[in-house]
Structures are given as C-alpha cells and as structure tokens.
Amino acid sequence: MEATLTDCVHHSLRHFMYRNAIFMCERLCAEFPSETNMQLLAGCFLHNNQAYAAYRILKGTQMAQSRYLFAISCFQMDLLHEAEAALCPPNEPGAEIPNGAAGHYLLGLIYRYTDRRRSAIQHFQLALSLDPLMWCAYEELCVLGAAEDASSVFGEAAVLCIQKQYLHHRSENLQTSNDDMNSASSRNSNSDDVRTRQSKHTQSNNLRDIPTNYHGAVNMGGAGSQSINGGSNISFYNTPSPVAAQLSAIAPPPLCRNTQQNGSSLNSLGADSCSRSTINSIIQAPRRKFVDEGKLRKISGRLFSDSGPRRSSRLAGEAGANTNVSAAGAANNGTTNSTKYLGSSKMNSITFRSVAVRKGQSFANENVDEGIQNEAFDDSRSNASLSISSSSPSSDNRTLEQGAPKSVGGSLTSDAKIINGASEILCLLRILGEGYRLSCLFRCQDALDVYLKLPYKHYNTGWVLSQVGKVYFELVDYLEADRAFSLARHASPHSLEGMDVYSTVLYHLKEDMKLSYLAQELISTDRLAPQSWCAMGNCYSLQKDHETALKNFQRAVQLNPRFAYAHTLCGHEYVALEDFENGIKSYQSALRVDSRHYNSWYGLGMIYLKQEKLEFSEHHFRMAFQINPRSSVVMSYLGTSLHALQRSEDAMMMMEKAILADKKNPLPMYQKANILVSLERFDEALQVLEELKEYAPRESSVYALMGNIYKRRYMHDKAMLHFGIALDLKPSAADVATIKAAIEKLLVPDEIEDNL
C-alpha cells in the first residue's frame, strides 16, 4: 500500500496535479507516519507554493533532508534566522551542512541577505568546489564582486573533480553490481516466487538507512525516496503565473535529489511497471541529470549526453535491443527547463539636463529559478530482462557472466566520454562566466569581446543576448541595446530576463509606443513578475505621470522585496515628486538588498546635492564611483560635488576622466565649463562650450552659460544673442525664469548685481 500511494504521489507531481499529490500524500502519512513521508508531503506543498504548510510539517524534525527542506520553507517566508539555524544547528557547531553544494549555496544566500558578505562568499565558493557545474553560485559571486577568473573556476581542476566523482561512484556501483549478480545466481526461476520476494523486498527497503550522495548530503529514503516529477522540471520558487519559473530575481536554492534503491536491484525485475522507481529531482540550479540503475547515485546527467547506453554491470546480460530501448526511454523522459535571473546593477547615461539615473538590477540577480533535467527509465528493459532471466536459472547465470566483461569495456568508453563531455561543458562555462564576471565589474567592452567568442547557437539565446543588451546599456549605446534586447525577445519571447533594463532603454530613447507595447506584453505574460510592473512604471514615468509610475514600482517591490532595481525606481519617482525623505528610504532599501547596487548610491548623492549636504553628497557619489569606476555620469556628479566643496582642482581632474570615459556624454564637458567659469578662465570655458555645441546642438543650457560668459566680459550683443537662442530651444520653466532674469540684468554691473 505504501509503495502504491507513493507512486501515485509521484505520478501526480509528474503531471502537475499538485492538489491530488497533496491529498494522496496526506493519506500516505496517515497510514505510514514516517519522517521520510513527511518530507515528501512537504515537497508537495512546496511545489504548490505553500511554503507555510511545509514549514509547519517539518518544524522540529531532525533528519538532514528535513532540515534542508525546512530551511527552504523558511527562506521563502523570509525567516532567514530560522533557515540558518536549520542548516547550522546552534547546539551542533560541527554539524555537516545538508545536501552538500546545494546546502552551501542556500546558506550563502542567507548570509548575503543578512549582510554577512564574507561568509556568503565563503559558502558560494564551497558550493562551487563541491559542484563545479553549480553556475548559480558563480553568478552570486559575480554579483558580490568576488568571483575569480572563470578560467580558474571552470578549469582543469573542475574537470578532475567531476572525473573523480564519477570514477568513485562507478567503482561503488561495480561492487554493488557484483553483489547483485552473486545473489541473482541463486534465484529461483519461478516467476510467482520472484514476485513474492520482490514484494517483500520492496517493503523491507522502506526501512533502510538513508543513503548519502556524493556531496555528503542526505537524501530521502524509503517510500519518500521514490521518484517525484521524474520527467518534468518544477521549481519550488515558482509563483502561480504563466511563466512563473522565470520570475524570481534571486536564484532559488536547489533542493535535494532523491534516489531509491529498491527499484534497481535484480530482485525488482519482476515488479509491475507501475511500481518502478524513477529518479526524483525537485530543484537544482546546475541543470543536472541523475541516473539510478542499481545504486548509482548523483552523476551529472548532462555529461552523459554523448555517452551512449547507460547500463550497470548487473544488467550487462541484457540483449542489445533492450539496451537501445532503455537508452531511448531515458532520452525521451528527460526534460529541461532552464531560466535565470541575472540582471546586474545598471546606470544609464543621462541627457544633458536629466537628473535621474535609471538602470536595472535583478539578482540575479537575482534569483534565478534554475532548470533541472530529470531522467526516468522505461520499464521495457525490466520486462525484457524478466523474460530472459525467468527462462531458466542456468540461462540467467550464463547471460550475466557473459555480459560482465562487455559492461566493463563499456564503462571504460563511458569514462572517456564523461571526461570529454565535462571538458566541453566547462569550456562553455568559462566563456559565459568570464563575460558575466566582467559585466558585473562594469568592464563592458571586455565583456562584449568575451561574449563574441561564444558559438553562434549559444550567443543567439535569450540569456546571452539580454546580457549583451545590458552591457550596451552600461556603455550608453541605447540603439545597440535596443537591438540586442529585441533579438533576445525574439529568441525567448517567454523570458523576462533583462526586460526591466529593456524598458529603461526604451524610456531613454523616448520610444513611448514600443515601451507601452512591451509593458502590455509583459503584463499579459506574467502579471506577478516585478519586471512587468517596472516596465509599466517606466511607461507612466515617460508620460510624466509620476504618481502612477510610483504605484507600479511599489507593486514590483511588493511582488519581490529583494528586487533592488524596483526600490531604486521608487526612489527616482520620489525625487521627481520632490519627496526626498521617502526617496532616501527607497534607495537605502535597495542597498540593503544589494550593497553594490551603485545606482542607489548615486541616487542618494543626487538628493544630498539638491539639499546642499555637500559632504554627504560627495561620500555617496564616491561610493558609486568605487563600485563602477567607468561611469561617466557618476564621475561627472562626483566632480560637481567636489567643485561645490571648493576642491576645484580635484573636480577638474574628475571631469577630465569623465570626458575620456564617454566622449559622447555632454554632462562632464558642461560641468568642466562651469568650473572654468568659476575660476574666471573664460576663454577656456568658451572653447569647451563651442566643442560641446557639436554634441548637444539643441541644449539650451549651453547657450545660457555662453550668454553669462559674454555678459561677464561685457560683450552684451553676443550675450543677448545666446540668451535668445537658449529661449528659442524651449527650456524648462525654471530655466526660462533664470534666463529672463539674466536678460533683465544684462546692463547691470556685476558689483551692483551682487549687492542686489
């Protein structure tokens, strides 16, 4: 009964029938109340986005896997201290972190969001050392600015690590297979007796000790370790929405993979196909398959992609036709669903009189739900094996003896393919990882050069094109960013990766129609995604409806409080509404999520500059500059604050750096002219402004400043000419008043004007 109920739960999960899975699993727990079955029930609730239910079920449990699932529940409920206590029990300071790399990754996220950066980095690095294919851990290190070169992380040491893990577990399985063959030689050929023994064997396996995986993690055992969702990919981090797996700005912590031993021994060959065990996988960031033929545990399934038939020694006596059926069944049952949230903190260039810097941060961002590849094996192999083994005892023994050497030879061939596959995967990750690392360090041109090394089929994927779009955005090349994001939308119309940044690109290009269309598309795709509401907010902000824009950005914050970009956009709208107090709170909230989100440091600097709190302004601009030392806009305003503090020489040096960083940005040239005017170096200032007119021919402030210079040099005709041109270019109302006041005082000497 227990096995039947468990299989029913797994079947329901495979077909996304979560309510049925929960109901049947509750019957299972009522009839067979064990902690492993409670783990399965908690997993069902987590699949159904009911973390609070899993929290109640697992509270107080002690098994390692239970503690891990409980920590996942706490993390989703933002109970970070309880999650940490579950992974690291205070009364057991030396206790091993459950689930190896996955446990360290989850603990790293907890440390990150409790502002313990050094500990977070340590655990992300441990996760990578245990599992070189855990890409999400490397992403987090990049976001924290602590990632090593991808060539060292995904280098030869990683290949050796994967090879060592594979060889270690293959040797274990060979020993297990030999034991199984010895026991199989003494089996009775009577099929009824086989079925009777199998039934007893299945029941006894439910009481076995819980096996450990190659990370030292503890998996569910017994009935709870049978397959969950063997052929599908469901993340615990999804939300009830059409493309929910793509929404989290934080990459979700991966859960365990559960294996069962009772369905893999020769004794199970007579079992009915409905009770066969398949591979269980709930969520795992590095997109891995795991094979369980006998007691084969976690081995990266992607490495098996070219390895041909995957067989253990005890099944070596099967006919070649059966092997082909098995391989085909495994290939057809494995599915892949991979989405990530890897936005990075961005800042756009501003047009000449722009105040707010808008860019996106998703952590990947955030959160990136990671796909999983699961593998379920067809029962045709078991049935075929049963027909062979049940013909006669002597035939069974002879077949096994003859097949064993072939299996060993096949293993040697498989070893080579495993190593080659690992090398190919890590070579690809080296390029992707280095490009992402450089973009997080704002070395944009270097990142573009690295991404161009990717093969065509990988470059033209939604994730890569979105990263390219973000890099162009950081380079203030909005047209190229628009093109890259458009290609990303075409390649992955279902993905929301980078769409918050894309909406900002369209905002600065003033493409109101395209921005409106994008916002509507995103809302219809997933109205529970923060990216959708950020796009909608940018749409209203472009129409100067700042109050409605603010409501949309607040909705994004409500959906994902760890989405730093949404907090920053709220701050921009508060500044536009001149609500500086709430603007400061929003920027500080963004920095609590991501201390390297330099846009918020910049926003705080702008507020303090407006409030003439010059020391505070200079501090926050300098913090932004330390994070992104290549931003022309940040350097321009840092120079402005230095000039306001009467540090003109330092300000001039900073403006020169800003001009060299982006010659197309008119802001540092204008500020340099202002500094030269204050130093009464009028000829140099006029020379800079004449050059600036070529970059910004319709910027009224340039002509207004030239008018002031001519006025101070008593060249009234030229001053009046430039004031008139400035008015013709339709400046803002405040600038119009300033220019008209300057015209009225044109003939008033400066000394008298100062006294007035």
Side-chain angles (χ1 to χ4, degrees):
M1 180 178 178
E2 184 174 9
T4 303
L5 283 173
T6 304
D7 284 342
C8 180
V9 173
H10 300 327
H11 178 81
S12 298
L13 289 175
R14 282 196 300 272
H15 293 85
F16 311 100
M17 299 166 60
Y18 300 136
R19 290 182 59 191
N20 192 67
I22 291 170
F23 177 82
M24 298 307 295
C25 200
E26 286 177 341
R27 309 285 73 74
L28 173 66
C29 292
E31 186 71 26
F32 304 97
S34 65
E35 188 168 329
T36 54
N37 289 337
M38 299 301 287
Q39 292 170 4
L40 180 59
L41 178 59
C44 293
F45 278 115
L46 286 170
H47 274 299
N48 203 38
N49 297 299
Q50 293 177 270
Y52 54 88
Y55 173 87
R56 296 294 181 186
I57 290 170
L58 296 172
K59 190 173 180 64
T61 52
Q62 298 300 321
M63 290 172 61
Q65 181 58 28
S66 299
R67 292 190 289 113
Y68 181 79
L69 293 174
F70 181 72
I72 288 288
S73 305
C74 293
F75 186 84
Q76 293 192 20
M77 297 170 66
D78 205 29
L79 303 174
L80 300 184
H81 293 294
E82 285 193 61
E84 180 183 354
L87 294 174
C88 304
N91 56 344
E92 300 179 29
E96 185 176 359
I97 305 298
N99 278 9
H104 284 290
Y105 172 73
L106 175 57
L107 193 57
L109 290 177
I110 293 169
Y111 284 138
R112 177 188 171 187
Y113 294 122
T114 51
D115 200 23
R116 287 175 282 179
R117 181 176 181 273
R118 183 175 300 177
S119 296
I121 292 171
Q122 179 184 358
H123 283 279
F124 289 139
Q125 290 173 339
L126 281 172
L128 268 178
S129 66
L130 291 172
D131 184 359
L133 299 181
M134 186 164 281
W135 168 260
C136 57
Y138 188 74
E139 277 187 322
E140 293 295 334
L141 289 171
C142 291
V143 171
L144 291 171
E148 299 178 7
D149 290 348
S151 58
S152 61
V153 176
F154 303 110
E156 293 301 322
V159 176
L160 294 175
C161 178
I162 295 172
Q163 178 187 2
K164 181 180 178 181
Q165 292 169 358
Y166 171 71
L167 293 176
H168 172 70
H169 291 283
R170 187 174 65 83
S171 64
E172 286 184 352
N173 290 311
L174 287 174
Q175 181 63 37
T176 301
S177 299
N178 291 332
D179 295 340
D180 288 341
M181 285 189 293
N182 292 334
S183 64
S185 64
S186 62
R187 292 184 55 193
N188 192 305
S189 61
N190 187 295
S191 59
D192 293 335
D193 189 36
V194 169
R195 292 188 179 91
T196 302
R197 293 184 183 184
Q198 169 60 21
S199 176
K200 293 179 180 179
H201 181 71
T202 303
Q203 295 295 332
S204 65
N205 267 347
N206 291 331
L207 302 178
R208 285 186 179 181
D209 293 336
I210 299 173
T212 57
N213 64 20
Y214 69 94
H215 291 324
V218 180
N219 292 332
M220 296 184 199
S225 69
Q226 296 184 20
S227 79
I228 298 178
N229 193 21
S232 60
N233 307 301
I234 302 299
S235 166
F236 278 168
Y237 244 68
N238 59 2
T239 57
S241 112
V243 287
Q246 306 165 19
L247 303 186
S248 174
I250 314 301
L255 295 187
C256 67
R257 295 186 179 274
N258 305 316
T259 63
Q260 178 166 344
Q261 298 175 348
N262 63 352
S264 55
S265 121
L266 278 175
N267 292 334
S268 67
L269 294 177
D272 293 336
S273 61
C274 64
S275 64
R276 265 189 68 85
S277 167
T278 56
I279 307 305
N280 169 37
S281 128
I282 301 180
I283 74 173
Q284 175 73 10
R287 296 187 244 167
R288 312 179 71 189
K289 289 184 188 174
F290 294 96
V291 182
D292 188 4
E293 292 186 70
K295 294 173 185 177
L296 184 57
R297 300 187 185 117
K298 294 187 176 180
I299 301 173
S300 174
R302 286 189 297 172
L303 304 184
F304 284 93
S305 58
D306 298 323
S307 61
R310 299 184 277 280
R311 303 162 52 184
S312 71
S313 299
R314 69 178 184 282
L315 296 179
E318 296 173 7
N322 296 331
T323 303
N324 295 335
V325 171
S326 171
N332 291 333
N333 283 329
T335 59
T336 304
N337 177 18
S338 172
T339 53
K340 300 183 190 55
Y341 267 79
L342 279 227
S344 59
S345 176
K346 301 290 181 190
M347 178 160 73
N348 59 336
S349 76
I350 56 175
T351 53
F352 188 72
R353 298 196 56 80
S354 176
V355 173
V357 174
R358 299 174 170 270
K359 278 218 174 162
Q361 166 76 30
S362 70
F363 238 176
N365 104 185
E366 346 347 29
N367 214 205
V368 234
D369 295 335
E370 296 296 331
I372 315 152
Q373 291 182 326
N374 304 319
E375 188 162 336
F377 291 90
D378 199 300
D379 291 323
S380 59
R381 175 168 56 190
S382 296
N383 298 332
S385 301
L386 178 59
S387 64
I388 295 173
S389 62
S390 61
S391 59
S392 69
S394 60
S395 174
D396 183 29
N397 297 337
R398 183 170 61 253
T399 304
L400 289 171
E401 291 172 1
Q402 292 173 354
K406 296 180 182 178
S407 180
V408 172
S411 297
L412 294 176
T413 303
S414 181
D415 290 349
K417 291 185 177 180
I418 289 296
I419 296 170
N420 291 337
S423 299
E424 292 175 2
I425 291 171
L426 292 171
C427 181
L428 178 63
L429 292 182
R430 280 196 291 273
I431 301 175
L432 292 169
E434 188 64 12
Y436 189 73
R437 184 184 74 88
L438 292 172
S439 65
C440 288
L441 294 176
F442 307 105
R443 294 169 55 181
C444 300
Q445 191 57 54
D446 293 339
L448 284 176
D449 295 340
V450 171
Y451 283 133
L452 288 173
K453 297 178 182 178
L454 286 168
Y456 178 84
K457 58 187 175 183
H458 286 285
Y459 184 87
N460 287 279
T461 56
W463 187 85
V464 174
L465 289 170
S466 293
Q467 298 303 318
V468 171
K470 291 176 184 179
V471 170
Y472 277 121
F473 187 22
E474 199 63 50
L475 289 171
V476 202
D477 192 343
Y478 294 142
L479 293 176
E480 283 298 319
D482 183 12
R483 178 175 174 273
F485 279 120
S486 296
L487 291 173
R489 288 288 293 167
H490 180 74
S492 301
H494 57 276
S495 176
L496 278 71
E497 172 68 32
M499 291 302 102
D500 47 342
V501 180
Y502 186 25
S503 67
T504 305
V505 170
L506 298 177
Y507 172 91
H508 285 286
L509 290 174
K510 301 189 184 303
E511 294 278 3
D512 52 350
M513 293 297 293
K514 289 179 68 174
L515 179 55
S516 177
Y517 180 72
L518 175 66
Q520 292 293 336
E521 270 198 325
L522 296 181
I523 290 292
S524 63
T525 299
D526 192 347
R527 64 184 303 106
L528 297 182
Q531 292 90 339
S532 302
W533 294 100
C534 286
M536 189 65 73
N538 274 332
C539 189
Y540 281 106
S541 184
L542 183 58
Q543 303 300 323
K544 307 299 182 183
D545 188 353
H546 298 296
E547 292 182 356
T548 306
L550 179 60
K551 291 179 181 178
N552 284 276
F553 295 140
Q554 288 172 335
R555 173 61 174 158
V557 170
Q558 183 184 29
L559 288 168
N560 189 349
R562 297 193 182 108
F563 197 69
Y565 184 30
H567 290 286
T568 300
L569 290 176
C570 285
H572 291 336
E573 296 306 312
Y574 278 124
V575 170
L577 294 169
E578 297 188 354
D579 186 351
F580 297 140
E581 182 178 354
N582 282 319
I584 290 173
K585 292 179 180 178
S586 293
Y587 290 134
Q588 290 174 341
S589 296
L591 292 174
R592 279 192 292 271
V593 174
D594 181 8
S595 61
R596 294 188 73 248
H597 189 59
Y598 77 93
N599 310 62
S600 292
W601 289 108
Y602 165 86
L604 288 169
M606 289 299 300
I607 289 177
Y608 291 129
L609 186 62
K610 289 176 177 290
Q611 294 178 337
E612 297 185 359
K613 298 179 179 179
L614 303 179
E615 291 83 2
F616 285 180
S617 176
E618 189 265 342
H619 168 74
H620 287 85
F621 283 133
R622 191 168 295 281
M623 290 296 296
F625 175 68
Q626 289 175 359
I627 297 168
N628 184 3
R630 293 171 177 80
S631 172
S632 176
V633 177
V634 171
M635 286 187 277
S636 298
Y637 279 103
L638 176 57
T640 300
S641 62
L642 290 171
H643 175 55
L645 288 168
Q646 306 299 320
R647 294 164 59 184
S648 298
E649 293 300 324
D650 292 339
M652 282 293 295
M653 292 176 60
M654 190 58 63
M655 292 303 175
E656 293 291 348
K657 289 182 180 179
I659 293 170
L660 291 175
D662 184 4
K663 295 183 179 180
K664 295 180 180 179
N665 183 10
L667 180 61
M669 297 181 70
Y670 178 79
Q671 296 293 359
K672 178 182 177 181
N674 262 324
I675 296 172
L676 291 171
V677 169
S678 68
L679 296 174
E680 296 187 353
R681 293 159 61 176
F682 299 125
D683 291 335
E684 295 179 53
L686 285 172
Q687 183 178 354
V688 172
L689 290 172
E690 288 292 342
E691 183 180 355
L692 180 57
K693 285 197 298 185
E694 298 180 5
Y695 295 100
R698 300 191 59 80
E699 180 52 57
S700 62
S701 297
V702 174
Y703 295 94
L705 181 57
M706 294 179 73
N708 280 326
I709 293 173
Y710 286 124
K711 175 180 178 295
R712 295 184 64 174
R713 298 183 67 178
Y714 303 104
M715 301 171 68
H716 299 133
D717 292 340
K718 287 189 175 182
M720 181 61 72
L721 172 64
H722 286 83
F723 284 141
I725 295 174
L727 288 174
D728 290 340
L729 293 174
K730 297 180 180 180
S732 64
D735 289 340
V736 168
T738 302
I739 294 170
K740 287 184 176 180
I743 292 174
E744 291 174 359
K745 299 176 182 179
L746 184 61
L747 300 177
V748 178
D750 292 339
E751 296 80 4
I752 300 176
E753 182 179 343
D754 292 339
N755 293 331
L756 293 175

